[in-house]
PDB file of all heavy atoms in Angstrom:
ATOM      1  N   ARG A  86      90.419 108.317 107.234  1.00 61.00           N
ATOM      2  CA  ARG A  86      91.056 107.063 107.602  1.00 61.00           C
ATOM      3  C   ARG A  86      91.716 106.506 106.352  1.00 61.00           C
ATOM      4  O   ARG A  86      91.218 106.695 105.234  1.00 61.00           O
ATOM      5  CB  ARG A  86      90.061 106.048 108.164  1.00 61.00           C
ATOM      6  CG  ARG A  86      89.056 105.551 107.152  1.00 61.00           C
ATOM      7  CD  ARG A  86      88.209 104.438 107.736  1.00 61.00           C
ATOM      8  NE  ARG A  86      87.192 104.030 106.768  1.00 61.00           N
ATOM      9  CZ  ARG A  86      86.301 103.098 106.997  1.00 61.00           C
ATOM     10  NH1 ARG A  86      86.285 102.465 108.135  1.00 61.00           N
ATOM     11  NH2 ARG A  86      85.407 102.777 106.083  1.00 61.00           N
ATOM     12  N   GLN A  95      92.496  95.834 105.947  1.00 89.00           N
ATOM     13  CA  GLN A  95      91.610  96.945 106.289  1.00 89.00           C
ATOM     14  C   GLN A  95      90.720  96.575 107.479  1.00 89.00           C
ATOM     15  O   GLN A  95      90.578  97.335 108.432  1.00 89.00           O
ATOM     16  CB  GLN A  95      90.735  97.311 105.082  1.00 89.00           C
ATOM     17  CG  GLN A  95      89.804  98.508 105.343  1.00 89.00           C
ATOM     18  CD  GLN A  95      90.565  99.807 105.498  1.00 89.00           C
ATOM     19  OE1 GLN A  95      91.613 100.010 104.877  1.00 89.00           O
ATOM     20  NE2 GLN A  95      90.056 100.714 106.317  1.00 89.00           N
ATOM     21  N   LEU A  96      90.165  95.370 107.432  1.00 92.00           N
ATOM     22  CA  LEU A  96      89.287  94.911 108.503  1.00 92.00           C
ATOM     23  C   LEU A  96      90.059  94.763 109.810  1.00 92.00           C
ATOM     24  O   LEU A  96      89.576  95.161 110.885  1.00 92.00           O
ATOM     25  CB  LEU A  96      88.646  93.579 108.117  1.00 92.00           C
ATOM     26  CG  LEU A  96      87.654  92.977 109.123  1.00 92.00           C
ATOM     27  CD1 LEU A  96      86.451  93.897 109.302  1.00 92.00           C
ATOM     28  CD2 LEU A  96      87.201  91.596 108.657  1.00 92.00           C
ATOM     29  N   ARG A  98      92.699  96.365 110.759  1.00 90.00           N
ATOM     30  CA  ARG A  98      93.025  97.691 111.294  1.00 90.00           C
ATOM     31  C   ARG A  98      91.802  98.350 111.929  1.00 90.00           C
ATOM     32  O   ARG A  98      91.896  98.969 112.993  1.00 90.00           O
ATOM     33  CB  ARG A  98      93.601  98.570 110.185  1.00 90.00           C
ATOM     34  CG  ARG A  98      95.035  98.200 109.834  1.00 90.00           C
ATOM     35  CD  ARG A  98      95.606  99.058 108.733  1.00 90.00           C
ATOM     36  NE  ARG A  98      97.032  98.790 108.555  1.00 90.00           N
ATOM     37  CZ  ARG A  98      97.759  99.275 107.549  1.00 90.00           C
ATOM     38  NH1 ARG A  98      97.191 100.044 106.621  1.00 90.00           N
ATOM     39  NH2 ARG A  98      99.041  98.987 107.452  1.00 90.00           N
ATOM     40  N   GLU A  99      90.664  98.193 111.285  1.00 85.00           N
ATOM     41  CA  GLU A  99      89.442  98.788 111.836  1.00 85.00           C
ATOM     42  C   GLU A  99      89.058  98.122 113.153  1.00 85.00           C
ATOM     43  O   GLU A  99      88.692  98.798 114.129  1.00 85.00           O
ATOM     44  CB  GLU A  99      88.303  98.661 110.820  1.00 85.00           C
ATOM     45  CG  GLU A  99      88.481  99.558 109.602  1.00 85.00           C
ATOM     46  CD  GLU A  99      87.427  99.294 108.528  1.00 85.00           C
ATOM     47  OE1 GLU A  99      86.549  98.434 108.750  1.00 85.00           O
ATOM     48  OE2 GLU A  99      87.486  99.949 107.473  1.00 85.00           O
ATOM     49  N   GLU A 100      89.132  96.778 113.184  1.00 90.00           N
ATOM     50  CA  GLU A 100      88.757  96.068 114.400  1.00 90.00           C
ATOM     51  C   GLU A 100      89.777  96.287 115.513  1.00 90.00           C
ATOM     52  O   GLU A 100      89.420  96.335 116.695  1.00 90.00           O
ATOM     53  CB  GLU A 100      88.595  94.573 114.113  1.00 90.00           C
ATOM     54  CG  GLU A 100      87.391  94.272 113.230  1.00 90.00           C
ATOM     55  CD  GLU A 100      87.140  92.786 113.033  1.00 90.00           C
ATOM     56  OE1 GLU A 100      87.963  91.969 113.516  1.00 90.00           O
ATOM     57  OE2 GLU A 100      86.122  92.448 112.423  1.00 90.00           O
ATOM     58  N   LYS A 101      91.040  96.427 115.150  1.00 91.00           N
ATOM     59  CA  LYS A 101      92.083  96.726 116.133  1.00 91.00           C
ATOM     60  C   LYS A 101      91.813  98.085 116.772  1.00 91.00           C
ATOM     61  O   LYS A 101      91.931  98.244 117.992  1.00 91.00           O
ATOM     62  CB  LYS A 101      93.454  96.724 115.452  1.00 91.00           C
ATOM     63  CG  LYS A 101      94.603  97.224 116.321  1.00 91.00           C
ATOM     64  CD  LYS A 101      95.896  97.191 115.539  1.00 91.00           C
ATOM     65  CE  LYS A 101      97.020  97.883 116.300  1.00 91.00           C
ATOM     66  NZ  LYS A 101      96.782  99.340 116.459  1.00 91.00           N
ATOM     67  N   SER A 103      88.948  99.707 117.012  1.00 81.00           N
ATOM     68  CA  SER A 103      87.708  99.734 117.791  1.00 81.00           C
ATOM     69  C   SER A 103      87.675  98.675 118.888  1.00 81.00           C
ATOM     70  O   SER A 103      86.774  98.676 119.721  1.00 81.00           O
ATOM     71  CB  SER A 103      86.506  99.524 116.865  1.00 81.00           C
ATOM     72  OG  SER A 103      86.545  98.228 116.269  1.00 81.00           O
TER      73      SER A 103
END
Side-chain angles (χ1 to χ4, degrees):
R86 67 174 177 181
Q95 182 68 33
L96 182 63
R98 285 180 172 171
E99 290 173 1
E100 291 185 355
K101 171 181 171 294
S103 64

